[in-house]
Amino acid sequence: MPIRIWDIPRQEYFYSGHRLCPGCGAGIIMRHLAKALGGRGIISHATGCVEVSTTYYPESSWGVPWIHVAFENAAAVASGIEAAYKVLKRKGIVDSEKEVRVVAVAGDGGTFDIGFQALSGMLERGHDVLYLVYDNEAYMNTGIQRSGSTPFGAWTTTTPPGKNWPYGEWRYKIRKDLLLVAMAHNIPYYATINPAYITDLYEKILKALSIRGPKLIHAFSPCTPGWRINDDDTIRVSRLAVQTGVWINLEYENGVVRVTTPVPRRKPVEEYLMIQGRFRHLDRKAIELIQKQVDEYVERINRLVGREVIGPVER
Amino acid sequence: MNGKKIEPLSGNHSVAYAVRDLDVDVISSYPITPQTAIVEKLAEFIANGELDAEYIHVESEHSALSAAIGASASGARVFTATSSQGLVLMYELLFIASGLRMPIVMALVARSLSAPINIWNDHSDLMASNDTGWIQIVTTNNQEAYDLTIAAYKLSERPDISLPVMVVLDGFIQSHTIEPVELEDRDKIRSFAPKVKRKYTLDPEKPITIGALGDPEWYYEFRVQLYEALERAYKAFAEVAEEFRSYFGRYYEPYQTYYVDDSDTLLIVLGAHTGTFLKAVRAARDEGIKVGLMTIRLLRPFPHEIHKILSQYSYVGVADKAIYMGTPSGSYLASDVMTSLNIEGSSTRVISYIYGIGGRVVKLEDALYIVRNLWRISKRIEEPPKKPVFVGVRW
Ligand SMILES: Cc1ncc(C[n+]2csc(CCOP(=O)(O)OP(=O)(O)O)c2C)c(N)n1
């Protein structure tokens, strides 16, 4: 029986009063991650927007134990925490029954780029850690610079549209696919989540926490200033991402890929692009290129699943 | 138990034996010459059940120290070891480990820095990290490497200190050289350095936030607290050394002097070549050359009180195994010594000698050259140089 909205506990472990922007997607994700952890987890957090906005000394938004060490090492720090609890339990210094779920959290910069090595090491070593990446598709904390997750065509301050770079993120390319990263590392669980599908999001976090070994969750995370959207467009843009096939809610478990939010008929990608200021400079040709990218991605996932779970574009 | 056990051990194995008997919980490390044998030995201890610890085979030194910080923050006793490029890859985390006040012990097996790549010994890595907020204990032989690794945990975990400690041994000269080392009884070691339950750890039942954002209203205070903790560590080191003596009979001062009572000048050195210089100082006495020797064991916090001894001389020499690039003294250690003298208004002049860079063989004649040169300057037979003296370099 899938989780319903009233199954999500009311108790908060991520407190209001933080300094995240109004409408920040990551705030929603963190709130539900903290709920899922309750009194049984520890978070190792990378440098980035969420870190600086939620722990402005002497205040903290975190009702779960939380540590920030640096930008690129959330996975390594989490490895240390997990190893410590393992041995302390074995030696009887910590009650062996005590539940301690270790989670590493990082942005796309801290995951796709500078933190990729530490992430790979942690996955490869098989630590019992959940790694959650909130992907706002750029370095937002330093003021919207391109990351390895920035999609083709997106404006950022280091990919500004200009005479030589008509489309901003100038290179026609498909970004790193964390599903393949997860598969390449042979980990037991990988999932994508999206704040517009909150029960799916919560359920996947809970499920990941219940599985032993390294888990990777990739979260769609709109950034209002970075994407140049209105404060109240976060959920709208998140839902459009799924409805257009730009984002696919899926799960990879025991070698099987399953789409958790099937989309029988897709909306054209333009609808997703055009409510965001970061894509407003794109012309027809660029939009068609992006549509083609999305079509290919959808086809790839359908092939992996073995049937058409994401349907064709309906104009 | 009275029967002392003496084993022939390399410097690296001396450290590994100490770590084994200290019941360390988590070891994370990445191989680099000349450190590797430490973590190989520890892996062996774990593999055959002599040590119950989690061994994290990290993918880089950056992650080695990151994982050590995570484990330490969770209340575990941790160990790591590195050299050279490994230490500078950790550089970012060195500041964070001390800033977060994590009682981590690391063996630094001192080696030069690239480029050109060179795996041999000098103090470039050590000196490049001497402003990171770590306590730095420099050993001169393998017994010290063993003993001071044990003492390091005691010092590091003291609640009033809570600082990371680097125990330094010279690459190859100590790390790969076998010496007789007196090993202590495991239970005695554990009663000397019992694990201290820390007040603040990552615990789901008592949530705390570690590593918050410190704005201009707060950051300064944290950094000054770190400075003061290091200052406290000076006295704490002496107390730990005293306790160590009462347990094991061997005594370690923050610095040690030889022949100071009747010498015309004094030479300051660091690390494994102390023995070579001591030999040179003794040999020079036959020529009527009276030079005293001081070896600095506690590099950070710096033993400022040495100024009392140094200011009795018109000239003192410092022989450093690292080049302080772009500075007039050319030497980290000489600059530290100059600062100590200057603060006290002393007019003692410091002569800076550089030697043994990149493992350049240090012969007794090289040490004798420095000793004689320093003495001649002190006797005003020779003009004091205004630049560092690069001993043994081909121009
Ligand atoms: C070694 C290092 N390089 C650069 C930075 C500067 N920096 C801090 S956060 C950040 C970007 C973070 O981006 P991301 O991981 O995507 O998270 P977001 O800010 O978007 O939440 C950068 C570049 C740093 N802290 N450390």
Side-chain angles (χ1 to χ4, degrees), chain A residues 44 72-83 102-105 115-132 185 187-189 213-217, chain B residues 56-60 63 67:
Chain A
S44 147
E72 60 289 75
N73 62 355
V77 174
S79 302
I81 298 169
E82 184 253 9
V102 184
V103 180
V105 179
F116 195 65
Q117 174 179 306
L119 167 65
S120 176
M122 185 203 93
L123 298 180
E124 174 273 321
R125 290 188 300 269
H127 292 277
D128 186 18
V129 173
L130 164 61
Y131 188 104
L132 189 150
H185 285 79
I187 62 173
Y189 188 74
K215 289 84 59 174
L216 179 56
I217 289 188
Chain B
I56 313 180
H57 299 84
V58 280
E59 77 297 332
S60 75
S63 285

Side-chain angles (χ1 to χ4, degrees), chain A residues 47-49 71-72 107-110 114 134 136 138-142, chain B residues 92:
Chain A
T47 311
C49 281
F71 184 19
E72 60 289 75
D108 47 298
I114 199 168
Y134 64 97
N136 49 32
Y139 299 123
M140 297 312 184
N141 184 46
T142 35
Chain B
E92 181 190 29

Side-chain angles (χ1 to χ4, degrees), chain B residues 72-317:
Chain B
S72 183
S74 308
R77 179 175 270 190
V78 303
F79 176 79
T80 186
T82 196
S83 298
S84 181
Q85 304 306 118
L87 186 75
V88 290
L89 186 56
M90 285 180 183
Y91 198 55
E92 181 190 29
L93 283 317
L94 293 176
F95 292 88
I96 296 171
S98 59
L100 294 179
R101 307 288 297 275
M102 293 297 165
I104 292 166
V105 174
M106 166 159 75
L108 174 69
V109 184
R111 164 184 153 181
S112 67
L113 294 174
S114 289
I117 191 165
N118 171 292
I119 62 164
W120 293 270
N121 165 256
D122 67 28
H123 288 160
S124 302
D125 51 3
L126 165 64
M127 292 300 174
S129 64
N130 67 14
D131 55 356
T132 56
W134 285 56
I135 294 170
Q136 291 174 322
I137 302 171
V138 184
T139 70
T140 69
N141 60 45
N142 295 352
Q143 184 70 54
E144 279 188 39
Y146 175 79
D147 289 350
L148 293 172
T149 300
I150 297 168
Y153 276 96
K154 177 111 180 161
L155 178 61
S156 174
E157 292 171 4
R158 263 176 65 146
D160 61 331
I161 305 297
S162 200
L163 283 173
V165 181
M166 238 177 248
V167 179
V168 184
L169 44 158
D170 273 307
F172 298 107
I173 302 165
Q174 274 174 276
S175 67
H176 287 60
T177 303
I178 290 170
E179 292 177 341
V181 176
E182 206 168 290
L183 296 180
E184 298 297 337
D185 178 63
R186 177 181 287 223
D187 294 336
K188 206 164 153 194
I189 291 174
R190 292 187 186 178
S191 83
F192 167 75
K195 287 184 184 166
V196 181
K197 182 150 172 52
R198 299 230 301 284
K199 203 167 164 194
Y200 302 107
T201 53
L202 293 169
D203 179 352
E205 279 149 44
K206 283 175 248 141
I208 55 165
T209 296
I210 301 179
L213 173 74
D215 73 1
E217 198 57 46
W218 290 102
Y219 177 86
Y220 196 177
E221 277 69 22
F222 282 112
R223 299 313 280 183
V224 172
Q225 281 181 21
L226 176 56
Y227 184 87
E228 286 173 350
L230 267 169
E231 270 193 326
R232 279 199 299 280
Y234 191 77
K235 206 166 140 255
F237 178 87
E239 287 162 10
V240 168
E242 195 52 61
E243 211 176 325
F244 191 92
R245 167 154 66 181
S246 73
Y247 264 77
F248 306 111
R250 290 178 295 275
Y251 184 52
Y252 297 105
E253 296 164 277
Y255 58 90
Q256 211 164 325
T257 54
Y258 306 89
Y259 303 108
V260 277
D261 296 336
D262 69 337
S263 61
D264 300 319
T265 177
L266 182 84
L267 180 68
I268 302 171
V269 296
L270 200 61
H273 277 121
T274 298
T276 316
F277 280 102
L278 195 55
K279 211 166 170 193
V281 160
R282 281 189 188 128
R285 296 215 153 220
D286 298 338
E287 304 169 17
I289 288 173
K290 289 182 174 169
V291 174
L293 190 71
M294 175 185 284
T295 182
I296 291 185
R297 190 169 281 126
L298 189 61
L299 181 62
R300 286 290 182 273
F302 191 74
H304 173 62
E305 64 177 13
I306 58 172
H307 75 84
K308 289 185 201 139
I309 299 170
L310 306 189
S311 50
Q312 297 163 21
Y313 303 99
S314 310
Y315 292 91
V316 294

Side-chain angles (χ1 to χ4, degrees), chain A residues 23-70:
Chain A
C24 174
I28 301 167
I29 297 158
M30 296 308 138
R31 181 175 163 220
H32 289 86
L33 168 66
K35 273 179 194 277
L37 279 175
R40 54 189 193 132
I42 296 173
I43 294 177
S44 147
H45 210 115
T47 311
C49 281
V50 176
E51 171 260 327
V52 298
S53 308
T54 60
T55 63
Y56 206 114
Y57 187 85
E59 294 164 11
S60 171
S61 285
W62 295 94
V64 289
W66 185 99
I67 184 170
H68 161 253
V69 177

